[in-house]
Amino acid sequence: MDIKMTSGFRSRQTVSTASRPTGNPSKNDVENKTAPITDTFQSFASKQLGDRMLSGTANELRLDHSALSPKTLEYFEPDEHDGIDWERLEKEHFGNRQVTLENGDSLRKNVDHMISMYVSVKSTLEEKYGDREDILTEKMNRLNDLLDKSKRQIVSSYEESVGRFYETMGNKGAASSMGFSLSAAIDKRIAQMEEVAKIMNSFADGSGSSYIYKQLVMEVWAFNQREEKPVSGDTSSEDVSPKVSLSEDNETYSLKDLEVAGMAAKAAANMNIDGLGFMSDEELGICLASRYMKMACLLSHMGTGENMSHMILKSFETFLNQSSGNALSGSSFSARTYKYALMQYRSTGDLREAVTQTGRKYASDSFFSDFRHFGGSVSMSLSTRYNLDLDQFVRDLENIGANAVLPSISGTGIHGFSAYM
């Protein structure tokens, strides 16, 4: 049906009174009088066009109005398939990012996985909808919402687990300070990965790489970057603390420092205290000193910042004292043995030498000469046992990595001695 423009109205025909029948009107006459005239469009205020639309012929309508503006009617394009599995993104890559005492030692891996996926999907959307700002904005809003939700979950759960541990060890305000640093460090890591993506062939326009492949490439880069040792003066490393403004009571920590804090908290949470009550005072002091020195060695190996190292070691020592029934308090024999061992370690930087010198000063000859059974047919002196354990700790730290030696620090993973036979 065509709609044609007209400048006037079609007048209604007036029924002549002379032609009306006399007498009482019939039922049909009453209905015709009150019914709308069928060949015209009734005028109602609620109708947008009012009485300006008139019937013309049987196949057309006439509209007494200027032409509508081309932008009067909005056109909504159906959401085309963008190739992104949004449901999987939400469930597997951005969901369930919660940090606990058991996985706090893998904080950077957790964060890098989330960010690598974000950067990869963002790159894919920008390449596909670069000339459609409306669609790109809609989809980026959806992606940013996923990122923001995941980031909030990581930060809040870190505060409630790792941060809470340091709060209970006497570091007031540590949880909120660490959470603030983590939020800033995540933002810094996002910016860093986006810069790296600009020089990667897989992220170049026209590369044809899927967002899944891009994410794999980015995550491999992140893994290698985490494993490499920082170069002195390298300010591009993610180890550098983010430049954010905090109050004087707060400290800023790098993402790596926050992960190391998670390692220490995990080691403490899994601490093996069985048998501590059966040890002599001198052995107890050496045992606790051995665990503390391992933690100090770990922090040095990881290049942990000075402020974070101080808080970790202070908190770890507090935990060792509490878990041993305050054996390190006061001037007890175990406390003196413990302090002397630490003094030797700071002086020599050698774990084995510190234990040996402490044993000679405070332990009896049995520490070196009496053989004890440690399962199966393995028997050795306490001196040999501690030195073998410390030697294996150092080798595993150097060759395998920090996460591998956490059981040794906790006393739950005494290294097997078959390797030495």
Side-chain angles (χ1 to χ4, degrees):
M1 180 183 300
D2 296 331
I3 298 179
K4 295 183 178 180
M5 305 299 298
T6 181
S7 58
F9 293 90
R10 175 182 173 184
S11 60
R12 300 178 181 179
Q13 294 181 352
T14 304
V15 180
S16 173
T17 55
S19 63
R20 293 177 179 173
T22 58
N24 295 330
S26 66
K27 179 178 179 181
N28 292 336
D29 291 337
V30 175
E31 291 178 350
N32 291 335
K33 186 175 182 180
T34 59
I37 301 174
T38 58
D39 67 340
T40 62
F41 185 88
Q42 288 280 49
S43 175
F44 293 100
S46 61
K47 294 188 178 296
Q48 187 176 10
L49 298 177
D51 56 1
R52 291 180 179 272
M53 182 173 284
L54 308 173
S55 62
T57 66
N59 296 319
E60 68 179 22
L61 291 175
R62 293 185 181 181
L63 176 64
D64 180 42
H65 196 277
S66 59
L68 294 174
S69 169
K71 295 184 178 180
T72 299
L73 299 178
E74 295 185 6
Y75 170 70
F76 293 93
E77 182 179 6
D79 185 17
E80 64 176 271
H81 182 60
D82 51 23
I84 307 297
D85 190 341
W86 291 98
E87 183 177 357
R88 185 174 182 182
L89 284 185
E90 183 173 4
K91 290 182 178 179
E92 298 182 15
H93 301 287
F94 291 97
N96 197 25
R97 298 283 104 190
Q98 190 147 344
V99 180
T100 67
L101 289 178
E102 284 303 311
N103 66 17
D105 60 326
S106 300
L107 177 64
R108 288 188 295 165
K109 178 181 178 181
N110 188 357
V111 169
D112 282 350
H113 179 82
M114 172 191 72
I115 296 177
S116 63
M117 180 56 74
Y118 170 79
V119 172
S120 300
V121 174
K122 180 181 178 181
S123 170
T124 299
L125 292 176
E126 288 177 339
E127 181 178 359
K128 187 170 186 177
Y129 300 109
D131 58 344
R132 293 298 307 272
E133 184 177 352
D134 53 342
I135 297 181
L136 179 61
T137 299
E138 176 188 349
K139 294 186 180 297
M140 280 305 304
N141 287 340
R142 184 176 184 181
L143 180 62
N144 287 330
D145 285 344
L146 291 178
L147 176 68
D148 291 342
K149 181 180 178 180
S150 184
K151 177 184 171 182
R152 288 194 301 269
Q153 185 183 49
I154 290 176
V155 172
S156 62
S157 59
Y158 184 91
E159 290 178 345
E160 290 300 318
S161 54
V162 178
R164 190 62 55 195
F165 167 78
Y166 290 97
E167 289 263 2
T168 59
M169 292 297 109
N171 302 281
K172 185 178 180 180
S176 60
S177 177
M178 297 171 85
F180 190 97
S181 292
L182 178 54
S183 178
I186 290 175
D187 291 340
K188 183 175 185 294
R189 189 65 164 163
I190 293 173
Q192 184 184 31
M193 284 197 178
E194 288 182 332
E195 286 299 312
V196 171
K198 293 178 181 179
I199 60 175
M200 286 184 168
N201 294 332
S202 302
F203 285 79
D205 289 347
S207 67
S209 302
S210 68
Y211 74 94
I212 296 177
Y213 180 77
K214 291 178 181 178
Q215 191 268 339
L216 176 61
V217 172
M218 181 60 72
E219 196 151 25
V220 169
W221 171 87
F223 171 80
N224 292 329
Q225 199 268 345
R226 291 194 306 267
E227 292 299 311
E228 69 182 10
K229 293 183 179 180
V231 179
S232 178
D234 182 9
T235 57
S236 65
S237 172
E238 57 89 13
D239 301 331
V240 180
S241 297
K243 303 300 182 183
V244 292
S245 176
L246 290 177
S247 67
E248 294 181 357
D249 296 332
N250 289 327
E251 292 290 349
T252 6
Y253 305 114
S254 70
L255 191 59
K256 187 174 183 179
D257 281 352
L258 293 166
E259 180 179 75
V260 176
M263 293 179 183
K266 180 178 181 178
N270 295 323
M271 187 67 65
N272 177 19
I273 61 174
D274 295 340
L276 294 182
F278 299 100
M279 294 181 180
S280 63
D281 287 343
E282 63 270 16
E283 183 185 352
L284 179 59
I286 292 175
C287 175
L288 297 178
S290 172
R291 295 182 183 184
Y292 179 96
M293 291 187 295
K294 288 178 180 179
M295 179 58 68
C297 184
L298 170 64
L299 300 184
S300 177
H301 175 80
M302 296 293 291
T304 310
E306 182 179 354
N307 292 328
M308 178 61 84
S309 294
H310 176 74
M311 183 176 72
I312 290 176
L313 291 176
K314 176 185 174 183
S315 301
F316 196 69
E317 185 173 61
T318 299
F319 184 84
L320 289 174
N321 186 43
Q322 292 178 356
S323 62
S324 63
N326 297 320
L328 303 180
S329 300
S331 57
S332 65
F333 197 73
S334 57
R336 293 200 303 269
T337 306
Y338 172 85
K339 292 175 183 177
Y340 184 82
L342 299 191
M343 183 176 66
Q344 293 300 309
Y345 176 66
R346 295 187 184 103
S347 175
T348 65
D350 190 312
L351 296 172
R352 295 179 59 180
E353 184 65 19
V355 168
T356 300
Q357 293 298 331
T358 304
R360 288 174 180 170
K361 182 174 180 65
Y362 285 98
S364 62
D365 292 339
S366 62
F367 184 77
F368 297 94
S369 58
D370 289 356
F371 278 67
R372 298 187 184 184
H373 292 283
F374 294 99
S377 60
V378 178
S379 61
M380 63 188 70
S381 67
L382 284 176
S383 174
T384 301
R385 176 188 181 275
Y386 277 102
N387 279 288
L388 289 176
D389 178 55
L390 292 172
D391 184 63
Q392 186 67 47
F393 168 84
V394 172
R395 284 199 280 179
D396 283 354
L397 182 60
E398 290 288 342
N399 299 325
I400 303 178
N403 299 79
V405 299
L406 294 184
S408 179
I409 298 175
S410 300
T412 58
I414 302 297
H415 297 289
F417 297 109
S418 59
Y420 302 95
M421 299 304 174

